[in-house]
Amino acid sequence: MTKRAYNFNAGPAALPLEVLERAQAEFVDFRNTGMSIMEMSHRGAVYESVHNEAQERLLSLLGNPKGYKVLFLQGGASTQFAMLPMNLLGEGQTASYVMTGSWAKKALSEAKLIGETQVAASSEADKYMKLPDVSNLSFPDGTAYVHLTSNETIEGTQFKSFPDTGSVPLIADMSSDIFCKPFDLNQFGMIYAGAQKNLGPSGITVVIAREELVSESPKTIPTMLRYSTHLDNNSLYNTPPSFSVYMVNEVLKWIEEQGGLAGIEQKNVKKADLLYNAIDSSGDFYRGCVDPADRSLMNVTFRLANEELEKQFIKASEQEGFVGLKGHRSVGGLRASIYNAAPYESVKALTDFMSHFQKTNG
């Protein structure tokens, strides 16, 4: 078997090897149909059964909360940044945003194009290296929704708990940490996530929403940008990204096999602890970027003494088979994305490499 890379890409990211192998085995002939799932009509019974199964699995992993629907959309979280206010931000209303970094900023800038917005809390003063206090958010009367980014992929922060927004729907972009640990969906009016980090390959965006929130979209927006279009048609109004839906279903099966979200969380904590301990015990050779209380389980950001040394680290790591450790171009530094499918062995190999690099360059 070919040697697998140590994949720390931020997305598209590592997929579970077992899932890739299953997909490979079914790729040419899916369920004895003589066709690949990629060749099938999305209106046919075989594809539709996979589509429905994936929706049911998503809700089942969250304990089957009542009143929620799953939509499979396209265009990534970036399209949701606009689709959300187009559908939910009415005339005379305000949308409240919690500012935690790069992706929160993008979400807000799109909403500003659509209607009135307000910043409910921000950690900009801390260069987004810690999270703002969201225990007592204030937002004006007539607030349509409160939006937050559960995990900032670029900076490496993650909310450990979520605010109570009362009767105002709380909406979260969970693209980079969805299903990394259990959470209570009932706290949210809606969550959404691009699949390419924890749920599957790129090309599909998962939206899980309270049915009443998405059942009546304004008729003034284009048909494809209305949540109600996709709700009314079981996300089959147009051709869905069928292969990506199939892969999401396979990844969800794999999560079930890991012991569900509680089992996945144990594995993720173990990986993150190993890596953060390597950083913290390096005598400042490696320095974590984020306030320890707000560190992400998924995206571990760190720095070395100077950029020259960081370049050396990247080069040496690539020669040893590590992929994706360069920080996002907007912030620099180093970042290891250790999503659900990144194996413990890869993280252990990385900490061994870090230790060796420190010995030779410290």
Side-chain angles (χ1 to χ4, degrees), residues 13 22 43 74 95 108 113 126 179 185 221 229 239 245 253 262 265 290 310 327 342 358:
R22 272 182 228 169
R43 306 274 177 225
Q74 295 171 66
L108 175 65
L113 301 174
D126 298 302
F179 285 11
L185 185 64
I221 58 177
T229 299
T239 311
V245 172
K253 283 183 199 170
E265 180 181 34
V290 169
E310 288 172 354
Q358 182 174 354

Side-chain angles (χ1 to χ4, degrees), residues 24-97:
Q24 184 180 39
E26 295 183 324
F27 191 71
V28 174
D29 183 6
F30 184 65
R31 296 184 185 171
N32 300 316
T33 56
M35 289 184 283
S36 171
I37 193 155
M38 288 202 287
E39 302 174 287
M40 288 179 186
S41 166
H42 62 294
R43 306 274 177 225
V46 177
Y47 172 73
E48 210 158 333
S49 71
V50 172
H51 186 94
N52 294 338
E53 202 178 294
Q55 291 172 327
E56 285 158 19
R57 266 209 170 81
L58 278 159
L59 290 173
S60 144
L61 280 161
L62 293 168
N64 288 313
K66 296 273 177 284
Y68 287 86
K69 291 289 185 186
V70 175
L71 307 178
F72 291 139
L73 305 179
Q74 295 171 66
S78 297
T79 298
Q80 291 308 302
F81 297 162
M83 200 165 159
L84 181 60
M86 286 170 97
N87 281 265
L88 302 186
L89 181 54
E91 197 70 37
Q93 293 182 307
T94 305
S96 274
Y97 282 73

Side-chain angles (χ1 to χ4, degrees), residues 72-336:
F72 291 139
L73 305 179
Q74 295 171 66
S78 297
T79 298
Q80 291 308 302
F81 297 162
M83 200 165 159
L84 181 60
M86 286 170 97
N87 281 265
L88 302 186
L89 181 54
E91 197 70 37
Q93 293 182 307
T94 305
S96 274
Y97 282 73
V98 177
M99 297 312 295
T100 48
S102 307
W103 292 106
K105 279 201 289 198
K106 287 189 172 179
L108 175 65
S109 66
E110 290 294 287
K112 281 180 172 170
L113 301 174
I114 312 295
E116 285 302 312
T117 62
Q118 177 245 5
V119 173
S122 174
S123 54
E124 189 175 8
D126 298 302
K127 295 195 166 73
Y128 301 124
M129 288 301 133
K130 62 186 295 208
L131 292 172
D133 178 12
V134 291
S135 55
N136 287 302
L137 290 180
S138 62
F139 34 85
D141 290 342
T143 296
Y145 59 84
V146 177
H147 180 281
L148 60 75
T149 309
S150 59
N151 183 92
E152 284 284 2
T153 325
I154 291 175
E155 286 79 9
T157 57
Q158 182 181 33
F159 280 101
K160 306 295 184 280
S161 61
F162 300 105
D164 179 357
T165 53
S167 60
V168 177
L170 178 62
I171 295 176
D173 172 4
M174 291 194 170
S175 292
S176 53
D177 70 340
I178 191 168
F179 285 11
C180 77
K181 59 186 194 321
F183 67 96
D184 180 9
L185 185 64
N186 291 300
Q187 288 182 275
F188 296 91
M190 180 194 295
I191 62 170
Y192 62 90
Q196 66 277 8
K197 301 170 193 295
N198 258 354
L199 290 180
S202 58
I204 177 172
T205 311
V206 172
V207 172
I208 309 178
R210 283 192 192 281
E211 191 168 359
E212 71 265 17
L213 209 54
V214 292
S215 58
E216 296 204 19
S217 302
K219 299 289 183 279
T220 50
I221 58 177
T223 309
M224 276 296 289
L225 295 173
R226 295 177 205 162
Y227 288 126
S228 58
T229 299
H230 304 286
L231 178 70
D232 295 344
N233 293 279
N234 190 30
S235 302
L236 293 164
Y237 176 78
N238 69 320
T239 311
S242 49
F243 187 72
S244 295
V245 172
Y246 156 76
M247 287 294 284
V248 166
N249 191 38
E250 293 302 319
V251 170
L252 296 172
K253 283 183 199 170
W254 175 83
I255 291 174
E256 288 172 346
E257 289 157 10
Q258 309 307 304
L261 300 186
I264 281 283
E265 180 181 34
Q266 280 183 321
K267 289 182 161 67
N268 285 334
V269 167
K270 197 176 160 198
K271 291 186 300 192
D273 283 351
L274 180 67
L275 187 44
Y276 284 121
N277 286 340
I279 293 165
D280 294 342
S281 62
S282 70
D284 258 8
F285 183 80
Y286 301 105
R287 294 190 311 278
C289 299
V290 169
D291 186 298
D294 297 325
R295 283 171 163 177
S296 169
L297 279 178
M298 298 282 96
N299 308 102
V300 178
T301 53
F302 58 103
R303 307 286 320 218
L304 293 173
N306 56 61
E307 284 186 24
E308 203 40 59
L309 199 54
E310 288 172 354
K311 280 182 188 155
Q312 279 179 29
F313 180 94
I314 299 289
K315 195 174 173 194
S317 73
E318 285 169 351
Q319 286 165 351
E320 294 298 321
F322 294 93
V323 176
L325 290 172
K326 195 175 182 179
H328 191 270
R329 62 186 179 278
S330 63
V331 293
L334 302 159
R335 169 179 61 177

